[in-house]
Amino acid sequence: MDVGLNSNLKWQAVANSTLTKKRSTAYGSTVALKSAMAVTGAVLVLYLIAHMYGNLKVFSGQEAFDGYAHGLRELGYPLLPEEGFLWVFRLVLLASVLIHIYSAAVLTIRARKARTQRYVVTKRVQRTYSSYTMRWGGVLIALFVVFHILHLTVNAIAPGGASDSPYERLVNGFQPEFWYVTLFYVAAVIAVGFHLRHGIWSGMATLGLNKASRQGKINAAAVGIALIVTVGFLLPPLAVTFGLVG
Amino acid sequence: MNITLRVWRQKGRDDEGRMVTYKLTDVSADMSFLEMLDVLNEKLTLEGEEPVAFDHDCREGICGACGVVIDGEAHGPERTTTCQLHMRSFNDGDTITVEPWRASAFPVVKDLVVDRGAFDRIIQAGGYISAPTGTAPDAHANPIPKPDADRAFDAATCIGCGACVAACPNASSMLFTAAKVTHLGMLPQGQPERAARVVQMVNQQDEEDFGGCTNIGECAAVCPKGIPLDTISQLNTDLLGSLSKGVG
């Protein structure tokens, strides 16, 4: 007897599509929303790693850092218009962020509705600290991203003076006298670290990658990537604040 | 041993409910948690008070009828059902807080009794096979790879007690639904309805106002039957597969 799962799945798909043409609510189900969060989250994690790599160029000096930033604007030129690639990239990121936040908001509202009467006593059995920080940590990260773009991308907020050089913006903005800017940055990056610790694990489980034999490895990968990203983003501003770069 | 109990009392579905404190003396450490509640109820009955309503049936840990949240943990501090929890897991002088499962999909009927009909409706939506199986087949008539058989059996041990929902910060029923999807999906008899089953069951659990899964894992950690957390990934794989094939 054929016990192949795929052949049967295909057979079932054909049988069902002849029966009903109506799109099911399963496309908007909690599982589908969570999958959208996982895919957009993966896009954002990959972006963060690339962003962190660019930031670390600060240790190679002003020329390398500014050259890298300029290179991003030229990427794909002349095949694409100038800054063409950058804008496609930005639109993909913006769409990812919006889908991620939309899904999170809908799922949070659902979860609140799913338990209107709370427990008098609750106890943590095995959940990670990171899993507590996902929702409010996410809000903090979103607020930080707005500030971050206004500060270092648009340079509308320019502690220490505006500049056309990305390197100078960074060095001006994280001087010791602007310790509160650095503090906000550090807090946000740590929030990102916690967000990634649970988010990477959760995203992989949502996309069906969790197997009992793999669970430890997925968690180790989540902790590892979260740590690398956290440290990688903390180094440049702290190096400026403590006078190692300037 | 002497203990203080804080128990949720609620006269009916529409009553607001409140925590009430009772003191019990001379509780034996060998009593099960439910026997301790029986002793409390005998005392309350003698005093002319309404006994505390709680669900129970087999008291052997296999039926899934009992289940309360004890000191913030579904089924209490041991990984077993409430009926198989014994008072030796507590200390003399302890204050023990007892609450019903909390989920909008599990409305309180009375005191610690909740209506778990939502689980039955999820099963009704797809947790079955329609192939006529007849009498028990000869062993090995349907060869099933050992790992598949083991996985199906592990998932099939779910007794539907609802501890996963009670423990989930989102009051999600994913571990329950995933156990059924995995159990039937690993076996040849479950294949004809496999793609449609997961879609219908997920739609039904959303319909019942359970929350969504955020992979926190408290469900599997409190499950008295040790349903593995990776069944949820199996459900996700099946659902995404069904949707990409246009099923549902």
Side-chain angles (χ1 to χ4, degrees):
Chain A
M1 182 185 166
D2 174 28
V3 293
L5 309 183
N6 284 333
S7 59
N8 278 311
L9 263 178
K10 271 175 207 148
W11 174 84
Q12 179 67 11
V14 172
N16 260 310
S17 61
T18 57
L19 290 174
T20 171
K21 291 271 181 260
K22 201 178 128 242
R23 261 166 77 95
S24 138
T25 48
Y27 287 92
S29 65
T30 47
V31 179
L33 283 170
K34 203 68 192 150
S35 304
M37 277 187 88
V39 171
T40 53
V43 170
L44 295 170
V45 171
L46 292 175
Y47 164 72
L48 275 182
I49 293 170
H51 186 351
M52 177 191 77
Y53 169 76
N55 285 7
L56 292 173
K57 293 245 171 212
V58 78
F59 294 107
S60 308
Q62 179 162 11
E63 211 170 304
F65 191 78
D66 286 354
Y68 180 84
H70 184 69
L72 289 179
R73 276 147 189 79
E74 302 272 289
L75 212 63
Y77 184 81
L79 197 62
L80 296 168
E82 210 166 338
E83 295 200 359
F85 173 82
L86 193 68
W87 276 104
V88 172
F89 202 79
R90 283 172 174 169
L91 287 177
V92 170
L93 287 180
L94 182 66
S96 297
V97 167
L98 292 178
I99 293 169
H100 201 77
I101 292 176
Y102 169 79
S103 308
V106 172
L107 287 169
T108 303
I109 292 166
R110 280 198 69 104
R112 293 270 147 87
K113 223 177 102 191
R115 179 170 293 135
T116 44
Q117 175 114 37
R118 299 193 162 220
Y119 289 109
V120 175
V121 179
T122 49
K123 194 175 167 201
R124 167 182 175 276
V125 182
Q126 57 79 51
R127 65 183 296 186
T128 59
Y129 175 75
S130 303
S131 71
Y132 286 101
T133 69
M134 295 309 279
R135 286 170 183 152
W136 286 110
V139 172
L140 172 68
I141 294 165
L143 291 174
F144 169 75
V145 166
V146 173
F147 168 77
H148 186 62
I149 290 172
L150 289 174
H151 176 195
L152 290 165
T153 310
V154 183
N155 214 203
I157 300 169
S163 169
D164 285 336
S165 156
Y167 183 89
E168 282 172 15
R169 288 180 193 176
L170 173 72
V171 171
N172 293 348
F174 292 107
Q175 288 303 314
E177 63 261 40
F178 305 115
W179 57 271
Y180 45 88
V181 176
T182 312
L183 196 67
F184 184 31
Y185 187 97
V186 169
V189 167
I190 290 172
V192 168
F194 281 120
H195 205 77
L196 293 195
R197 160 67 188 96
H198 183 74
I200 291 172
W201 144 256
S202 180
M204 290 177 97
T206 298
L207 294 177
L209 297 171
N210 179 28
K211 299 262 183 300
S213 56
R214 252 190 241 151
Q215 206 159 307
K217 286 177 201 145
I218 297 178
N219 272 309
V223 172
I225 297 172
L227 270 176
I228 291 169
V229 169
T230 308
V231 173
F233 275 105
L234 285 181
L235 284 177
L238 291 180
V240 170
T241 305
F242 291 102
L244 302 171
V245 166
Chain B
M1 51 198 281
N2 300 326
I3 53 164
T4 306
L5 280 173
R6 291 168 70 213
V7 185
W8 182 259
R9 300 303 310 261
Q10 184 173 337
K11 288 195 178 87
R13 279 172 192 266
D14 301 323
D15 183 30
E16 211 172 80
R18 73 226 167 271
M19 299 301 291
V20 179
T21 304
Y22 301 102
K23 287 205 185 298
L24 270 187
T25 49
D26 293 330
V27 174
S28 159
D30 293 329
M31 280 180 188
S32 75
F33 198 84
L34 298 188
E35 284 167 343
M36 181 275 294
L37 288 180
D38 290 338
V39 170
L40 169 70
N41 279 346
E42 281 172 13
K43 184 173 164 248
L44 290 178
T45 307
L46 286 174
E47 289 166 0
E49 278 188 60
E50 185 82 4
V52 177
F54 61 90
D55 258 333
H56 62 102
D57 191 19
C58 75
R59 299 206 178 196
E60 290 178 347
I62 55 172
C63 76
C66 67
V68 287
V69 172
I70 302 161
D71 288 339
E73 273 184 274
H75 291 304
E78 310 286 345
R79 291 295 76 86
T80 184
T81 52
T82 304
C83 62
Q84 292 296 300
L85 172 70
H86 292 82
M87 295 313 292
R88 53 181 165 267
S89 298
F90 300 90
N91 298 316
D92 188 29
D94 274 0
T95 298
I96 305 169
T97 307
V98 189
E99 298 174 79
W101 291 167
R102 292 290 186 204
S104 306
F106 289 165
V108 172
V109 177
K110 190 179 181 184
D111 298 335
L112 302 172
V113 178
V114 297
D115 176 359
R116 282 170 289 189
F119 268 9
D120 297 333
R121 291 187 290 275
I122 292 176
I123 294 291
Q124 252 180 314
Y128 54 81
I129 60 161
S130 56
T133 52
T135 52
D138 287 341
H140 303 307
N142 269 343
I144 300 166
K146 175 79 167 130
D148 291 357
D150 284 348
R151 195 133 192 265
F153 194 83
D154 282 348
T157 56
C158 169
I159 51 176
C161 64
C164 45
V165 174
C168 177
N170 305 310
S172 171
S173 58
M174 276 289 269
L175 193 69
F176 169 78
T177 308
K180 308 302 168 191
V181 164
T182 305
H183 159 204
L184 298 172
M186 291 298 113
L187 300 173
Q189 294 88 343
Q191 298 312 312
E193 287 120 346
R194 184 173 178 180
R197 170 182 305 119
V198 63
V199 171
Q200 288 159 359
M201 292 181 85
V202 165
N203 283 345
Q204 189 62 39
Q205 71 171 2
D206 280 358
E207 189 80 9
E208 299 289 349
D209 273 342
F210 288 106
C213 174
T214 51
N215 302 301
I216 283 170
E218 295 291 84
C219 51
V222 301
C223 177
K225 295 295 151 182
I227 303 296
L229 190 60
D230 68 359
T231 55
I232 291 179
S233 260
Q234 184 67 54
L235 179 150
N236 292 338
T237 306
D238 279 20
L239 185 81
L240 295 176
S242 295
L243 292 183
S244 68
K245 289 180 179 69
V247 178

